[in-house]
Amino acid sequence: MAASFLVCCGQAPSVKPTIKAQDSTLLAVASPPPALLHPEEYKLYSNASRHFFDSLFMHGFNGGLVVAHNGVVVYERYSGFKDPRKHKDSVNAHTAFHLASVSKTFTAMAILKLWEEGKLDIHDDISKYLIGFPPGVTIKNLLSQRSGIRNYVHFMDQSGWDKRKYLTNADLLQYIIQHHAELIYAPAGRHFEYCNTNYAFLALIIEKASGESYNEFLTKTFFQPLQMQDTYVFTIHDTAKVTRSYRMSGRLYPMEYLDMVYGDKNIYSTPEDMLKWDAALRGHIMYKQSTLDSAYTPYSLEKPGKRNYGLGWRMIVYPGGKKLIYHNGWWHGNRTVFIRMMEENATIIALCNNDNKRVYASKKLCDVFGNYQQAHENVDEPDNDPEGRGGEKR
């Protein structure tokens, strides 16, 4: 009976490898051995997750959740509809949600992959790749949110831009080049300022260094080899199939002029695909350990505190060096959480499209897995706090 329980509830599904030897940028992902949890351990984490998230579903959560430990899914649930107004098309494991700023984890790791391949150096000045941009800002400054550049989701509202026309990454670059005296407000490296502009620029650098579009590079470097079959970079051609976002009232968020900028947002995915992303980053297959260490190092140390930012990753750093690695997202009605407990090999993923900010309380569940002291933490942090969701358009 115990053996049967392990097979049904405590064993991770295997992942088939994708190997294309002719293309060095595609990653061969080996099938991991089956991961097991003792039945009592599985029951503990499953019940704790179910009890914790019951209140979220009772308060109108429209989306999907996955909690995993040691490669085993201990809790997974989907609720609501792709169109919550009409109760049309139930949300399921293949419903892709806008990741909002959780997209930044892919942009950052794409840059670090190009760094490993020798196609760029994160210490390079971005003017090497973004022709016409004034010198003084490095790729690492962008990655660590220390560039001194203002956030486009704020200043473009007063820019005079024709809001009937979609803004592109290239448009944004040219606008900042033309107005750099007012939009670069501080010397790079001086202090932390959460800024979506940084990651829109990183997407352009990926294209310049790789010779491919952002979409092409991420698809063949991450999505295809990891078999993330429901994950994609949004383009205007995806408008008909995309999962739209809504207010809690059920009112649809209309498309707007900032919706085509990518790198800081605009990746769609599912909880199951994001679990593959988490597993790949833990498996030491895709990156050198030194690269991962760089990504998870805190770089904003000018103020005392445990909250910090690495290279595309938020973190809470505890005495003794223990870290909680995560990223939140918020764009229109899309609110997302991607939480990674590195020491315990546990992951929490929550994606929704109906503006339900209760998803950010998901970090409190971390206390079930380890000593993360989240039970009394405030989930609504200031915009410019390294822990906060700051910078996403409200």
Side-chain angles (χ1 to χ4, degrees):
M1 192 169 202
S4 176
F5 187 91
L6 283 171
V7 171
C8 295
C9 300
Q11 182 167 318
S14 62
V15 179
K16 295 180 181 179
T18 298
I19 302 175
K20 293 188 178 181
Q22 301 302 315
D23 190 341
S24 62
T25 63
L26 285 178
L27 305 170
V29 181
S31 296
L36 301 176
L37 282 181
H38 187 278
E40 289 302 315
E41 194 176 16
Y42 176 91
K43 183 177 179 181
L44 168 67
Y45 294 127
S46 180
N47 287 343
S49 299
R50 183 178 298 107
H51 176 74
F52 180 85
F53 284 118
D54 272 350
S55 63
L56 181 62
F57 286 97
M58 288 172 59
H59 287 87
F61 178 77
N62 196 92
L65 286 165
V66 164
V67 181
H69 179 53
N70 284 346
V72 176
V73 173
V74 298
Y75 178 77
E76 183 172 11
R77 184 175 174 184
Y78 302 89
S79 180
F81 303 88
K82 289 184 67 175
D83 186 342
R85 301 169 304 172
K86 301 178 181 179
H87 287 200
K88 183 179 179 181
D89 297 328
S90 296
V91 170
N92 59 45
H94 298 288
T95 304
F97 292 90
H98 194 310
L99 295 180
S101 281
V102 175
S103 303
K104 291 180 173 70
T105 68
F106 289 98
T107 302
M109 298 313 294
I111 287 284
L112 296 182
K113 175 53 65 179
L114 289 166
W115 184 30
E116 281 195 351
E117 293 175 351
K119 295 179 180 178
L120 57 75
D121 190 319
I122 63 171
H123 304 97
D124 286 341
D125 198 287
I126 67 172
S127 61
K128 177 178 177 180
Y129 305 90
L130 307 180
I131 306 303
F133 197 88
V137 179
T138 68
I139 294 175
K140 188 176 180 180
N141 293 146
L142 299 181
L143 286 167
S144 59
Q145 304 280 19
R146 301 178 64 81
S147 69
I149 305 171
R150 296 196 184 279
N151 198 331
Y152 78 88
V153 301
H154 299 151
F155 67 72
M156 287 306 297
D157 272 343
Q158 288 77 45
S159 67
W161 180 266
D162 182 355
K163 295 179 182 178
R164 295 170 297 179
K165 176 185 175 184
Y166 288 121
L167 182 76
T168 68
N169 291 52
D171 293 330
L172 176 61
L173 173 61
Q174 291 308 309
Y175 183 86
I176 295 180
I177 289 173
Q178 293 165 11
H179 300 87
H180 65 87
E182 57 199 87
L183 296 178
I184 303 177
Y185 68 92
R190 181 72 59 86
H191 68 275
F192 174 91
E193 180 81 24
Y194 189 91
C195 177
N196 289 300
T197 310
N198 294 332
Y199 279 72
F201 281 2
L202 287 169
L204 291 175
I205 292 171
I206 289 168
E207 293 179 333
K208 183 73 172 181
S210 70
E212 300 172 314
S213 72
Y214 177 81
N215 185 5
E216 290 169 340
F217 186 78
L218 265 63
T219 298
K220 82 173 194 176
T221 305
F222 301 138
F223 306 156
Q224 287 181 346
L226 298 178
Q227 298 184 18
M228 300 174 68
Q229 296 174 356
D230 297 309
T231 302
Y232 60 94
V233 178
F234 174 76
T235 70
I236 195 65
H237 303 294
D238 299 311
T239 304
K241 75 171 184 178
V242 76
T243 305
R244 301 290 297 277
S245 70
Y246 300 83
R247 300 182 187 275
M248 284 290 288
S249 64
R251 181 182 173 190
L252 176 70
Y253 271 95
M255 291 282 290
E256 63 150 276
Y257 73 105
L258 298 178
D259 279 331
M260 291 296 111
V261 179
Y262 53 85
D264 59 323
K265 59 183 189 307
N266 266 348
I267 294 177
Y268 280 71
S269 191
T270 66
E272 289 187 354
D273 273 4
M274 291 302 292
L275 196 58
K276 295 176 183 178
W277 176 229
D278 171 64
L281 293 174
R282 293 179 189 270
H284 306 294
I285 295 171
M286 299 177 70
Y287 293 93
K288 301 173 186 175
Q289 185 58 49
S290 59
T291 303
L292 295 174
D293 291 343
S294 295
Y296 306 145
T297 295
Y299 294 98
S300 295
L301 303 173
E302 62 271 15
K303 293 182 181 179
K306 61 184 181 180
R307 302 179 181 94
N308 220 292
Y309 203 92
L311 303 181
W313 298 94
R314 296 191 185 279
M315 64 189 68
I316 302 176
V317 184
Y318 298 88
K322 183 183 180 79
K323 297 174 186 175
L324 180 63
I325 305 296
Y326 71 102
H327 215 296
N328 291 335
W330 181 10
W331 183 251
H332 301 329
N334 306 289
R335 294 181 183 264
T336 56
V337 169
F338 184 34
I339 301 168
R340 309 175 66 217
M341 291 159 272
M342 308 304 285
E343 289 188 12
E344 293 79 11
N345 193 18
T347 309
I348 303 169
I349 300 162
L351 311 177
C352 83
N353 69 329
N354 69 330
D355 212 18
N356 194 327
K357 69 179 182 180
R358 290 173 180 266
V359 297
Y360 303 124
S362 299
K363 284 207 302 296
K364 296 180 186 296
L365 184 60
C366 294
D367 292 349
V368 173
F369 295 91
N371 182 22
Y372 288 100
Q373 305 163 30
Q374 291 299 299
H376 304 292
E377 287 286 324
N378 179 12
V379 298
D380 292 319
E381 297 292 340
D383 281 358
N384 197 37
D385 190 298
E387 185 188 8
R389 303 181 310 282
E392 288 84 351
K393 188 176 177 64
R394 286 169 171 70

